[in-house]
Short mmCIF file of all heavy atoms in Angstrom, two decimals:
data_model
loop_
_atom_site.label_atom_id
_atom_site.label_comp_id
_atom_site.label_asym_id
_atom_site.label_seq_id
_atom_site.Cartn_x
_atom_site.Cartn_y
_atom_site.Cartn_z
N SER A 81 73.03 196.64 28.52
CA SER A 81 72.49 196.78 29.84
C SER A 81 72.59 195.54 30.63
O SER A 81 72.86 195.58 31.87
CB SER A 81 70.98 197.18 29.67
OG SER A 81 70.88 198.40 28.94
N SER A 182 47.65 213.65 2.43
CA SER A 182 47.01 212.90 1.35
C SER A 182 46.15 211.73 1.84
O SER A 182 46.29 211.39 3.04
CB SER A 182 48.21 212.26 0.41
OG SER A 182 48.94 211.34 1.23
N TYR A 188 47.65 205.27 6.25
CA TYR A 188 48.76 204.85 7.08
C TYR A 188 48.42 205.14 8.51
O TYR A 188 48.70 204.31 9.44
CB TYR A 188 50.02 205.63 6.72
CG TYR A 188 50.63 205.24 5.34
CD1 TYR A 188 51.36 206.09 4.57
CD2 TYR A 188 50.49 204.00 4.89
CE1 TYR A 188 51.92 205.75 3.32
CE2 TYR A 188 51.02 203.60 3.62
CZ TYR A 188 51.76 204.46 2.93
OH TYR A 188 52.31 204.17 1.67
N PHE A 256 71.05 211.63 9.22
CA PHE A 256 70.60 210.27 9.18
C PHE A 256 71.39 209.44 10.26
O PHE A 256 70.83 208.66 11.03
CB PHE A 256 70.82 209.63 7.86
CG PHE A 256 70.30 208.20 7.72
CD1 PHE A 256 69.00 207.94 7.49
CD2 PHE A 256 71.22 207.11 7.82
CE1 PHE A 256 68.50 206.61 7.42
CE2 PHE A 256 70.81 205.79 7.75
CZ PHE A 256 69.43 205.54 7.56
N PHE A 315 40.64 222.26 17.62
CA PHE A 315 39.42 221.68 18.17
C PHE A 315 39.72 220.17 18.55
O PHE A 315 39.33 219.68 19.56
CB PHE A 315 38.31 221.64 17.17
CG PHE A 315 37.03 221.01 17.68
CD1 PHE A 315 36.07 221.69 18.48
CD2 PHE A 315 36.75 219.73 17.42
CE1 PHE A 315 34.93 221.13 18.97
CE2 PHE A 315 35.60 219.05 17.92
CZ PHE A 315 34.71 219.75 18.69
#
Side-chain angles (χ1 to χ4, degrees):
S81 301
S182 63
Y188 289 151
F256 183 81
F315 180 85

